[in-house]
């Protein structure tokens, strides 16, 4: 029952024993329990880090030869991390900023490792349905009410600590909670979008096909496209207060970059758009936009009305973005041109 003892045992046990049929399910069950929302935030973060460590060991083993057992073990590790993280953001009393950020940071280090193939972690080696890791990343990127969830979690923690009802908070405390919630939501969503872009570009570099799910849900290019494009229009509120703040400028940029990559999935490594770079001189940047070698292709089927709505939402978001971007830092009172 001790996480520290369990972690030490896994560190010292060879991978062949960990993935043996008589041991693998009990190991996965214990990892799932330590990463679950009912565990403490420290244990959940440490459990996520342990899963990433084991996944790196799996990647090292796969370098010397293919193994269905090790590939399936890595897939199950990321399924556990994605599923428990998704469960943790559904209820405010279990929402932990530390668990989210530490998990995303661990994933980013994992996917930057030169011996890691993101396909093994994100897509099943056998015929399984859905991808919890991609579902979690897409959910964080597209959740326009995440700041409300963090605000409710901070209020819950404050009332549990002080014993006061939230109606008794002074104006200064209420303002502090609101600003901290928006900051946490922004950091979390940017980290998720950054990891998602990193994964896409890593998989597109080697020219091999991406094994997307054939359905339109989690794990499919269509589902990812819908999640990113949903940021161009304010979401319908599902929590109090009954309104949703406009999508921040940085998330519009990330969503646009994700769509740009998804539109060129079939173009090949040589035709993948270069990473976006923000420039102060908008006119010059537009003038130097390169023409793609191949026409962009949608990863899903849209009728004429849906295409028009997507274009209108995107253009409207870009127009609003142009008004909120800062001007040239060397000429603060002059418009960017």
């Amino acid at each position: 029952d001790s996480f520290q003892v369990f972690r030490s045992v896994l560190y010292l046990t060879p991978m062949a024993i960990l993935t043996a049929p008589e041991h693998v399910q009990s190991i996965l069950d214990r990892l799932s329990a330590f990463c679950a929302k009912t565990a403490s935030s420290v244990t959940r973060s440490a459990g996520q880090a342990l899963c990433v460590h084991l996944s790196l060991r799996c990647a090292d083993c796969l370098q010397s030869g293919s193994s269905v057992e090790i590939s399936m073990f890595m897939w199950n590790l990321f399924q556990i991390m994605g599923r428990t993280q998704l469960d943790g953001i559904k209820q405010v009393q279990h929402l932990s900023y530390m668990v989210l950020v530490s998990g995303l940071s661990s994933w980013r280090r994992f996917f930057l490792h030169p011996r890691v193939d993101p396909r093994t972690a994100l897509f099943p080696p056998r015929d399984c349905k859905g991808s919890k890791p991609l579902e979690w990343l897409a959910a964080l990127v597209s959740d326009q009410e995440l700041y409300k969830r963090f605000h409710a979690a901070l209020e819950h923690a404050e009332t549990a600590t002080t014993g006061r009802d939230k109606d008794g908070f002074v104006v200064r405390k209420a303002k502090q909670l609101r600003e901290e919630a928006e900051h946490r939501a922004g950091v979390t969503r940017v980290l998720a979008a950054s990891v998602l872009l990193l994964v896409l570009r890593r998989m597109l570099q080697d020219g091999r096909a991406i094994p997307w799910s054939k359905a339109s849900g989690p794990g499919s290019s269509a589902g990812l496209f819908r999640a990113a494009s949903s940021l161009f229009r304010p979401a319908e509120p599902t929590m109090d207060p009954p309104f949703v703040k406009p999508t921040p400028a940085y998330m519009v940029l990330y969503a646009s970059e994700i769509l740009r990559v998804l539109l060129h999935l079939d173009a090949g490594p040589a035709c993948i758009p270069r990473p976006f770079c923000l420039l102060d001189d908008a006119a010059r940047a537009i003038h130097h936009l390169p023409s793609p070698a191949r026409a962009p292709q949608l990863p899903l089927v849209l009728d004429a009305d849906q295409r028009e709505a997507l274009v209108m939402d995107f253009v409207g978001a870009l127009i609003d973005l142009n008004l909120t971007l800062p001007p040239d830092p060397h000429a603060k009172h002059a418009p960017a041109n």
Side-chain angles (χ1 to χ4, degrees):
D1 294 333
S2 170
F3 174 78
Q4 289 76 13
V5 174
F6 179 71
R7 178 174 57 188
S8 300
V9 171
L10 294 190
Y11 265 69
L12 297 173
T13 305
M15 189 56 63
I17 297 178
L18 294 180
T19 57
E22 61 268 25
H23 303 306
V24 63
Q25 192 56 52
S26 60
I27 292 172
L28 293 174
D29 290 342
R30 295 305 300 163
L31 283 170
S32 182
F34 285 126
C35 294
K37 61 184 180 182
T38 53
S40 66
S41 296
V42 175
T43 302
R44 290 165 63 188
S45 297
Q48 295 272 332
L50 179 57
C51 288
V52 171
H53 169 77
L54 293 174
S55 299
L56 283 173
R57 289 179 60 187
C58 290
D60 291 337
C61 293
L62 291 173
Q63 285 291 304
S64 57
S66 177
S67 170
V68 176
E69 291 76 14
I70 292 180
S71 298
M72 200 68 188
F73 187 61
M74 183 193 292
W75 155 255
N76 281 317
L77 290 172
F78 269 82
Q79 284 287 95
I80 288 172
M81 289 189 285
R83 184 180 64 253
T84 53
Q85 290 279 25
L86 279 169
D87 291 341
I89 63 176
K90 291 178 181 178
Q91 296 176 307
V92 296
Q93 61 266 34
H94 300 302
L95 180 60
S96 172
Y97 178 64
M98 179 183 70
V99 174
L100 288 172
V101 171
S102 62
L104 288 168
S105 300
S106 299
W107 283 28
R108 182 175 180 83
R109 290 195 300 272
F110 174 81
F111 289 122
L112 283 172
H113 200 282
R115 292 192 294 273
V116 166
D117 181 4
R119 297 173 181 82
T120 311
L122 300 178
F123 300 100
R126 296 173 182 168
D127 189 16
C128 302
K129 294 183 179 179
S131 174
K132 290 298 180 182
L134 281 179
E135 183 180 355
W136 177 51
L137 291 175
L140 289 180
V141 172
S142 61
D143 189 357
Q144 299 185 40
E145 292 187 300
L146 187 59
Y147 70 95
K148 293 184 183 179
R149 303 184 200 281
F150 274 119
H151 188 267
L154 288 170
E155 283 186 340
H156 175 79
E158 185 71 18
T159 54
T161 303
T162 62
R164 292 181 300 173
D165 188 78
K166 64 180 182 180
D167 294 333
F169 293 166
V170 295
V171 175
R172 182 177 180 181
K173 172 58 71 173
K175 180 175 181 292
Q176 179 184 350
L177 294 181
R178 184 175 66 253
E179 292 175 348
E180 180 64 20
E182 293 177 1
H183 169 74
R184 292 186 176 191
V187 171
T188 303
R189 296 178 72 192
V190 164
L191 268 175
S194 176
V195 172
L196 194 52
L197 269 177
L198 169 64
V199 167
L200 287 174
R201 290 195 172 275
R202 280 293 306 272
M203 291 191 293
L204 291 171
Q205 278 180 347
D206 56 16
R208 294 190 291 135
I210 301 176
W212 296 107
S213 171
K214 298 188 183 303
S216 60
S220 67
S221 56
L224 191 56
F225 189 92
R226 289 192 179 94
S229 60
S230 68
L231 297 181
F232 302 136
R233 175 181 295 181
E236 293 294 328
T238 61
M239 301 174 61
D240 290 331
F243 66 87
V244 178
K245 292 185 177 181
T247 302
Y250 50 82
M251 288 308 302
V252 173
L253 289 176
Y254 269 110
S256 302
E257 182 69 356
I258 291 172
L259 293 190
R260 192 165 72 112
V261 173
L262 291 175
L263 288 172
H264 295 85
L265 286 177
D266 301 327
C271 302
I272 300 172
R274 297 179 60 186
F276 174 75
C277 181
L278 184 64
L279 301 175
D280 288 323
D281 195 335
R284 184 178 300 175
I286 294 173
H287 178 71
H288 288 96
L289 282 176
S291 176
R294 291 181 55 181
Q297 294 182 353
L298 286 171
L300 72 170
V301 178
L302 298 177
D303 58 31
D305 292 339
Q306 291 173 324
R307 287 172 179 257
E308 182 178 0
L310 174 62
V311 171
M312 293 298 293
D313 291 342
F314 182 59
V315 172
L318 291 184
I319 291 174
D320 295 338
L321 185 65
N322 188 49
L323 299 177
T324 57
L325 286 175
D328 187 341
H330 301 295
K332 295 183 179 180
H333 302 291
N337 53 38

